[in-house]
């Protein structure tokens, strides 16, 4: 019989997973939110943010 709840996850391994999550998802997300606050009408330099948001969303779905 298989025991599905038997696993070894130490605090050190969990910390690495959590730091990777912060580095690859939260930091770019916060940068995009901060940049979006400064968007002015007719500003075309902000067009790179929308594909970047899509990549962040896809990455979030891949993690979950």
């Amino acid at each position: 019989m298989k025991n599905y709840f038997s696993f070894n996850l130490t605090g050190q391994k969990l910390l690495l997973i959590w730091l990777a999550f912060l580095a690859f998802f939260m930091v770019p997300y916060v940068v995009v939110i901060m940049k979006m606050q400064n968007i002015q009408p007719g500003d075309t330099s902000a067009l790179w943010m929308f594909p970047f948001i899509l990549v962040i969303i896809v990455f979030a779905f891949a993690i979950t």
Side-chain angles (χ1 to χ4, degrees):
M1 181 172 175
K2 293 183 179 180
N3 189 356
Y4 291 104
F5 295 108
S6 177
F7 60 94
N8 294 334
L9 183 63
T10 63
Q12 189 175 19
K13 289 179 184 177
L14 182 61
L15 178 66
L16 292 175
I17 293 170
W18 184 71
L19 289 175
F21 172 75
L22 282 179
F24 292 116
F25 181 74
M26 292 303 293
V27 172
Y29 183 73
V30 169
V31 169
V32 167
I33 295 300
M34 290 174 57
K35 294 284 186 180
M36 288 182 78
Q37 291 176 352
N38 298 329
I39 293 178
Q40 299 296 325
D43 187 16
T44 58
S45 65
L47 290 177
W48 65 270
M49 281 191 264
F50 299 110
F52 193 67
I53 291 172
L54 181 65
V55 168
I56 291 174
I57 290 171
V58 168
F59 186 72
F61 279 120
I63 288 176
T64 58

Coordinates of all heavy atoms in Angstrom, one line a residue:
M1 N 0.8 -1.2 0.0 CA 0.0 0.0 0.0 C 0.9 1.2 0.0 O 1.9 1.3 0.7 CB -0.9 0.0 1.2 CG -1.8 1.1 1.3 SD -3.0 0.9 2.7 CE -3.8 2.4 2.6
K2 N 0.5 2.2 -0.8 CA 1.3 3.4 -0.9 C 0.9 4.4 0.2 O -0.2 4.5 0.5 CB 1.1 4.1 -2.3 CG 1.7 3.3 -3.4 CD 1.5 4.0 -4.7 CE 2.0 3.3 -5.9 NZ 1.9 4.0 -7.2
N3 N 1.9 5.1 0.6 CA 1.7 6.2 1.6 C 2.0 7.5 0.9 O 3.1 7.9 0.8 CB 2.6 6.0 2.8 CG 2.3 6.9 3.9 OD1 1.4 7.7 3.8 ND2 2.9 6.8 5.1
Y4 N 0.9 8.2 0.5 CA 1.1 9.4 -0.3 C 1.5 10.6 0.6 O 2.0 11.6 0.0 CB -0.2 9.7 -1.0 CG -0.6 8.8 -2.1 CD1 -1.6 7.8 -1.9 CD2 0.1 8.8 -3.3 CE1 -1.9 6.9 -2.9 CE2 -0.2 7.9 -4.3 CZ -1.2 7.0 -4.1 OH -1.5 6.1 -5.1
F5 N 1.4 10.6 1.9 CA 1.7 11.7 2.7 C 3.1 11.5 3.3 O 3.4 12.3 4.2 CB 0.7 11.9 3.8 CG -0.7 12.3 3.2 CD1 -1.7 11.4 3.2 CD2 -0.9 13.5 2.6 CE1 -3.0 11.7 2.7 CE2 -2.1 13.9 2.1 CZ -3.1 13.0 2.1
S6 N 3.9 10.6 2.9 CA 5.2 10.4 3.5 C 6.2 11.1 2.6 O 6.4 10.7 1.4 CB 5.5 8.9 3.5 OG 6.8 8.7 4.0
F7 N 6.8 12.2 3.1 CA 7.8 12.9 2.3 C 8.8 13.6 3.3 O 8.4 13.8 4.4 CB 7.2 13.9 1.3 CG 6.4 15.0 2.0 CD1 7.0 16.2 2.3 CD2 5.1 14.8 2.3 CE1 6.2 17.2 3.0 CE2 4.3 15.7 2.9 CZ 4.9 16.9 3.2
N8 N 9.9 13.9 2.8 CA 10.9 14.5 3.6 C 11.2 15.9 3.0 O 11.8 16.0 1.9 CB 12.3 13.7 3.6 CG 12.1 12.4 4.4 OD1 11.2 12.3 5.2 ND2 12.9 11.5 4.0
L9 N 10.7 16.9 3.7 CA 11.0 18.3 3.2 C 11.5 19.1 4.4 O 10.8 19.4 5.3 CB 9.7 19.0 2.7 CG 9.8 20.4 2.2 CD1 10.7 20.4 0.9 CD2 8.4 20.9 1.8
T10 N 12.8 19.3 4.3 CA 13.5 20.0 5.4 C 13.2 21.5 5.2 O 12.8 22.0 4.2 CB 15.0 19.7 5.4 OG1 15.5 20.2 4.2 CG2 15.2 18.2 5.6
G11 N 13.5 22.3 6.3 CA 13.4 23.7 6.2 C 14.3 24.3 5.2 O 14.0 25.3 4.5
Q12 N 15.5 23.8 5.0 CA 16.4 24.3 4.0 C 15.9 24.1 2.6 O 16.0 25.0 1.8 CB 17.8 23.6 4.2 CG 18.9 24.2 3.4 CD 20.2 23.6 3.7 OE1 20.3 22.5 4.2 NE2 21.3 24.3 3.4
K13 N 15.3 23.0 2.3 CA 14.7 22.8 1.0 C 13.5 23.7 0.7 O 13.3 24.3 -0.3 CB 14.3 21.3 0.8 CG 15.4 20.3 0.7 CD 14.9 18.9 0.5 CE 16.0 17.9 0.5 NZ 15.4 16.6 0.5
L14 N 12.7 23.9 1.8 CA 11.5 24.8 1.7 C 12.0 26.2 1.5 O 11.4 26.9 0.7 CB 10.6 24.6 2.9 CG 9.4 25.4 2.9 CD1 8.5 25.0 1.7 CD2 8.6 25.3 4.2
L15 N 13.0 26.6 2.2 CA 13.5 28.0 2.0 C 14.0 28.2 0.6 O 13.7 29.3 0.0 CB 14.7 28.2 3.0 CG 15.3 29.6 2.9 CD1 14.3 30.7 3.3 CD2 16.6 29.7 3.7
L16 N 14.7 27.3 0.0 CA 15.1 27.4 -1.4 C 13.9 27.6 -2.4 O 14.0 28.4 -3.3 CB 16.0 26.3 -1.8 CG 17.4 26.2 -1.1 CD1 18.1 24.9 -1.5 CD2 18.2 27.4 -1.4
I17 N 12.9 26.8 -2.2 CA 11.7 26.8 -3.0 C 11.0 28.2 -2.9 O 10.6 28.8 -3.8 CB 10.7 25.7 -2.7 CG1 11.4 24.3 -3.1 CG2 9.4 25.9 -3.4 CD1 10.6 23.1 -2.6
W18 N 10.9 28.7 -1.6 CA 10.3 29.9 -1.3 C 11.1 31.1 -1.9 O 10.5 32.0 -2.5 CB 10.1 30.1 0.2 CG 9.4 31.3 0.5 CD1 8.1 31.6 0.4 CD2 9.9 32.5 1.2 NE1 7.8 32.8 0.8 CE2 8.9 33.4 1.3 CE3 11.2 32.8 1.6 CZ2 9.1 34.7 1.9 CZ3 11.4 34.1 2.2 CH2 10.4 35.0 2.3
L19 N 12.4 31.1 -1.8 CA 13.2 32.1 -2.4 C 13.2 32.1 -3.9 O 13.2 33.2 -4.6 CB 14.7 32.0 -1.9 CG 14.9 32.3 -0.5 CD1 16.4 32.0 -0.1 CD2 14.5 33.8 -0.2
A20 N 13.1 30.9 -4.5 CA 13.0 30.9 -6.0 C 11.6 31.4 -6.4 O 11.5 32.2 -7.4 CB 13.1 29.4 -6.4
F21 N 10.6 31.2 -5.7 CA 9.3 31.8 -5.9 C 9.3 33.3 -5.9 O 8.8 34.0 -6.8 CB 8.2 31.3 -5.0 CG 6.9 32.0 -5.1 CD1 6.0 31.7 -6.2 CD2 6.5 32.9 -4.1 CE1 4.8 32.3 -6.3 CE2 5.3 33.5 -4.2 CZ 4.5 33.3 -5.3
L22 N 10.0 33.8 -4.9 CA 10.1 35.3 -4.7 C 10.9 35.9 -5.9 O 10.5 36.9 -6.5 CB 10.8 35.7 -3.4 CG 9.9 35.6 -2.2 CD1 10.7 36.0 -1.0 CD2 8.7 36.5 -2.3
A23 N 12.0 35.2 -6.2 CA 12.8 35.8 -7.3 C 12.2 35.7 -8.7 O 12.3 36.7 -9.4 CB 14.2 35.0 -7.3
F24 N 11.5 34.7 -9.0 CA 10.9 34.5 -10.3 C 9.5 35.0 -10.5 O 9.1 35.1 -11.6 CB 11.0 33.0 -10.7 CG 12.4 32.5 -10.9 CD1 12.9 31.5 -10.1 CD2 13.2 33.1 -11.9 CE1 14.2 31.1 -10.3 CE2 14.5 32.6 -12.1 CZ 15.0 31.6 -11.3
F25 N 8.8 35.3 -9.4 CA 7.4 35.7 -9.6 C 7.2 37.1 -8.9 O 6.7 38.0 -9.5 CB 6.5 34.7 -9.1 CG 5.0 35.1 -9.2 CD1 4.4 35.1 -10.5 CD2 4.3 35.5 -8.1 CE1 3.1 35.5 -10.6 CE2 3.0 35.9 -8.3 CZ 2.4 35.9 -9.5
M26 N 7.5 37.2 -7.7 CA 7.1 38.4 -6.9 C 7.9 39.6 -7.3 O 7.3 40.7 -7.4 CB 7.2 38.1 -5.4 CG 6.2 37.1 -4.9 SD 4.5 37.5 -5.2 CE 4.3 39.0 -4.2
V27 N 9.2 39.5 -7.5 CA 10.0 40.6 -7.8 C 9.6 41.2 -9.2 O 9.3 42.4 -9.3 CB 11.5 40.3 -7.8 CG1 12.3 41.4 -8.3 CG2 11.9 39.9 -6.3
P28 N 9.5 40.4 -10.3 CA 9.0 41.0 -11.5 C 7.6 41.6 -11.4 O 7.3 42.6 -12.0 CB 9.1 39.9 -12.5 CG 10.0 38.9 -11.9 CD 9.9 39.0 -10.5
Y29 N 6.7 40.9 -10.7 CA 5.3 41.4 -10.5 C 5.3 42.8 -9.9 O 4.6 43.7 -10.3 CB 4.5 40.4 -9.7 CG 3.1 40.8 -9.5 CD1 2.2 40.6 -10.6 CD2 2.6 41.2 -8.3 CE1 0.9 41.0 -10.5 CE2 1.3 41.5 -8.2 CZ 0.4 41.4 -9.2 OH -0.9 41.7 -9.1
V30 N 6.1 43.0 -8.8 CA 6.1 44.3 -8.1 C 6.7 45.3 -9.0 O 6.2 46.5 -9.1 CB 7.0 44.1 -6.8 CG1 7.2 45.5 -6.2 CG2 6.2 43.3 -5.8
V31 N 7.8 45.0 -9.8 CA 8.3 46.0 -10.7 C 7.3 46.4 -11.8 O 7.2 47.6 -12.1 CB 9.6 45.4 -11.4 CG1 10.1 46.2 -12.6 CG2 10.7 45.2 -10.4
V32 N 6.6 45.5 -12.3 CA 5.5 45.8 -13.3 C 4.5 46.7 -12.7 O 4.0 47.7 -13.3 CB 4.9 44.5 -13.9 CG1 3.7 44.8 -14.7 CG2 5.9 43.8 -14.8
I33 N 4.0 46.4 -11.5 CA 3.0 47.2 -10.8 C 3.5 48.6 -10.6 O 2.8 49.6 -10.8 CB 2.6 46.6 -9.5 CG1 1.9 45.2 -9.8 CG2 1.7 47.5 -8.7 CD1 0.6 45.3 -10.6
M34 N 4.8 48.8 -10.2 CA 5.4 50.1 -10.0 C 5.5 50.9 -11.3 O 5.2 52.1 -11.3 CB 6.7 50.0 -9.3 CG 6.6 49.5 -7.9 SD 8.2 49.2 -7.1 CE 9.0 50.8 -7.3
K35 N 5.8 50.2 -12.4 CA 6.0 50.8 -13.7 C 4.6 51.2 -14.2 O 4.5 52.3 -14.9 CB 6.7 49.9 -14.7 CG 8.1 49.7 -14.4 CD 9.0 50.8 -14.7 CE 10.4 50.5 -14.5 NZ 11.3 51.6 -14.8
M36 N 3.6 50.5 -13.9 CA 2.2 50.8 -14.5 C 1.6 52.0 -13.8 O 0.7 52.6 -14.4 CB 1.3 49.6 -14.3 CG 1.6 48.4 -15.2 SD 0.5 47.0 -15.0 CE -0.9 47.7 -15.9
Q37 N 2.1 52.4 -12.6 CA 1.6 53.6 -12.0 C 2.0 54.8 -12.7 O 1.4 55.9 -12.6 CB 2.1 53.6 -10.5 CG 1.5 52.6 -9.7 CD 2.0 52.6 -8.3 OE1 3.0 53.3 -8.0 NE2 1.4 51.8 -7.4
N38 N 3.1 54.8 -13.5 CA 3.6 55.9 -14.2 C 3.2 56.0 -15.7 O 3.8 56.8 -16.4 CB 5.1 56.0 -14.1 CG 5.6 56.1 -12.6 OD1 4.9 56.7 -11.8 ND2 6.7 55.5 -12.3
I39 N 2.3 55.2 -16.1 CA 1.9 55.2 -17.5 C 1.0 56.4 -17.8 O 0.1 56.7 -17.1 CB 1.1 53.9 -17.9 CG1 2.0 52.7 -17.8 CG2 0.5 54.0 -19.3 CD1 1.3 51.4 -18.1
Q40 N 1.4 57.1 -18.8 CA 0.7 58.3 -19.3 C -0.1 58.0 -20.6 O 0.4 57.1 -21.3 CB 1.6 59.5 -19.5 CG 2.4 59.9 -18.3 CD 1.5 60.4 -17.2 OE1 0.5 61.1 -17.5 NE2 1.8 60.1 -15.9
P41 N -1.2 58.7 -20.9 CA -1.9 58.4 -22.1 C -1.0 58.7 -23.3 O -0.3 59.7 -23.4 CB -3.0 59.4 -22.1 CG -3.2 59.7 -20.6 CD -1.9 59.6 -20.0
G42 N -1.0 57.8 -24.3 CA -0.1 58.0 -25.5 C 1.3 57.5 -25.3 O 2.1 57.6 -26.2
D43 N 1.6 56.9 -24.2 CA 3.0 56.5 -23.9 C 3.1 55.1 -24.5 O 2.5 54.1 -24.0 CB 3.3 56.5 -22.4 CG 4.7 56.2 -22.1 OD1 5.6 56.2 -23.0 OD2 5.0 55.8 -20.9
T44 N 4.0 54.9 -25.5 CA 4.2 53.6 -26.1 C 5.3 52.8 -25.6 O 5.5 51.7 -25.9 CB 4.4 53.8 -27.7 OG1 5.5 54.6 -27.9 CG2 3.2 54.4 -28.3
S45 N 6.1 53.5 -24.7 CA 7.2 52.7 -24.1 C 6.7 51.7 -23.1 O 7.5 50.8 -22.6 CB 8.2 53.7 -23.4 OG 7.5 54.3 -22.3
A46 N 5.5 51.7 -22.7 CA 5.0 50.8 -21.7 C 4.4 49.5 -22.4 O 3.9 48.6 -21.7 CB 3.9 51.4 -20.9
L47 N 4.5 49.4 -23.7 CA 4.0 48.2 -24.4 C 4.7 46.9 -24.0 O 4.1 45.8 -24.2 CB 4.0 48.4 -25.9 CG 3.1 49.5 -26.4 CD1 3.3 49.6 -27.9 CD2 1.7 49.2 -26.1
W48 N 5.9 46.9 -23.5 CA 6.6 45.7 -23.2 C 6.0 45.1 -21.9 O 6.2 43.9 -21.6 CB 8.1 46.0 -22.9 CG 8.3 46.9 -21.7 CD1 8.4 48.3 -21.8 CD2 8.5 46.5 -20.4 NE1 8.6 48.7 -20.5 CE2 8.7 47.7 -19.6 CE3 8.5 45.3 -19.7 CZ2 8.9 47.7 -18.3 CZ3 8.7 45.3 -18.4 CH2 8.9 46.5 -17.6
M49 N 5.2 45.9 -21.1 CA 4.7 45.4 -19.8 C 3.6 44.3 -20.0 O 3.5 43.4 -19.2 CB 4.2 46.5 -19.0 CG 5.3 47.2 -18.3 SD 4.7 48.3 -17.1 CE 4.7 49.8 -18.0
F50 N 2.8 44.5 -21.0 CA 1.6 43.6 -21.2 C 2.0 42.2 -21.6 O 1.5 41.2 -21.0 CB 0.6 44.2 -22.2 CG 0.1 45.6 -21.7 CD1 0.5 46.7 -22.3 CD2 -0.7 45.6 -20.6 CE1 0.1 47.9 -21.9 CE2 -1.1 46.9 -20.1 CZ -0.8 48.0 -20.8
P51 N 3.0 42.0 -22.5 CA 3.5 40.6 -22.7 C 4.2 40.1 -21.4 O 4.1 38.9 -21.1 CB 4.4 40.7 -23.9 CG 4.1 41.9 -24.5 CD 3.5 42.8 -23.5
F52 N 4.9 40.9 -20.7 CA 5.5 40.5 -19.5 C 4.6 40.1 -18.4 O 4.8 39.1 -17.7 CB 6.4 41.7 -19.0 CG 7.4 41.3 -17.9 CD1 8.4 40.5 -18.2 CD2 7.2 41.8 -16.6 CE1 9.3 40.1 -17.2 CE2 8.1 41.4 -15.7 CZ 9.2 40.6 -16.0
I53 N 3.4 40.7 -18.3 CA 2.4 40.3 -17.4 C 1.8 38.9 -17.8 O 1.6 38.1 -16.9 CB 1.2 41.4 -17.3 CG1 1.8 42.6 -16.7 CG2 0.0 40.8 -16.6 CD1 0.8 43.8 -16.7
L54 N 1.7 38.7 -19.1 CA 1.2 37.4 -19.6 C 2.2 36.3 -19.2 O 1.8 35.2 -18.7 CB 1.0 37.4 -21.1 CG 0.5 36.2 -21.7 CD1 -0.9 35.8 -21.2 CD2 0.5 36.3 -23.2
V55 N 3.5 36.6 -19.3 CA 4.5 35.6 -18.9 C 4.4 35.3 -17.4 O 4.6 34.2 -17.0 CB 5.9 36.1 -19.4 CG1 7.0 35.3 -18.7 CG2 6.0 36.1 -20.9
I56 N 4.3 36.3 -16.6 CA 4.1 36.2 -15.2 C 2.9 35.3 -14.8 O 3.0 34.4 -14.0 CB 4.1 37.5 -14.5 CG1 5.4 38.2 -14.6 CG2 3.7 37.4 -13.0 CD1 5.4 39.7 -14.0
I57 N 1.8 35.5 -15.5 CA 0.6 34.8 -15.2 C 0.8 33.3 -15.6 O 0.4 32.4 -14.9 CB -0.6 35.4 -16.0 CG1 -1.0 36.7 -15.3 CG2 -1.8 34.4 -16.0 CD1 -2.0 37.5 -16.1
V58 N 1.4 33.1 -16.8 CA 1.7 31.7 -17.2 C 2.6 31.0 -16.2 O 2.5 29.8 -15.9 CB 2.3 31.7 -18.6 CG1 2.8 30.3 -19.0 CG2 1.2 32.1 -19.6
F59 N 3.6 31.7 -15.8 CA 4.6 31.2 -14.8 C 3.9 30.8 -13.5 O 4.1 29.8 -12.9 CB 5.7 32.1 -14.5 CG 6.8 31.6 -13.6 CD1 7.7 30.6 -14.1 CD2 6.9 32.1 -12.3 CE1 8.6 30.1 -13.3 CE2 7.9 31.5 -11.5 CZ 8.8 30.6 -12.0
A60 N 2.9 31.7 -13.0 CA 2.2 31.4 -11.8 C 1.3 30.2 -12.0 O 1.2 29.3 -11.0 CB 1.3 32.6 -11.5
F61 N 0.7 30.0 -13.1 CA -0.1 28.8 -13.4 C 0.8 27.5 -13.4 O 0.4 26.4 -12.9 CB -0.9 28.9 -14.6 CG -2.2 29.6 -14.5 CD1 -2.4 30.8 -15.2 CD2 -3.1 29.2 -13.6 CE1 -3.5 31.5 -15.1 CE2 -4.3 30.0 -13.5 CZ -4.5 31.1 -14.2
A62 N 2.0 27.7 -14.0 CA 2.9 26.5 -14.0 C 3.4 26.1 -12.6 O 3.6 24.9 -12.3 CB 4.1 26.9 -14.9
I63 N 3.6 27.1 -11.7 CA 4.0 26.8 -10.4 C 2.9 26.1 -9.6 O 3.1 25.1 -8.9 CB 4.4 28.0 -9.6 CG1 5.8 28.5 -10.2 CG2 4.6 27.8 -8.1 CD1 6.3 29.8 -9.6
T64 N 1.7 26.6 -9.8 CA 0.6 26.0 -9.0 C 0.1 24.7 -9.6 O -0.4 23.8 -9.0 CB -0.6 26.9 -8.9 OG1 -1.1 27.3 -10.3 CG2 -0.3 28.2 -8.2

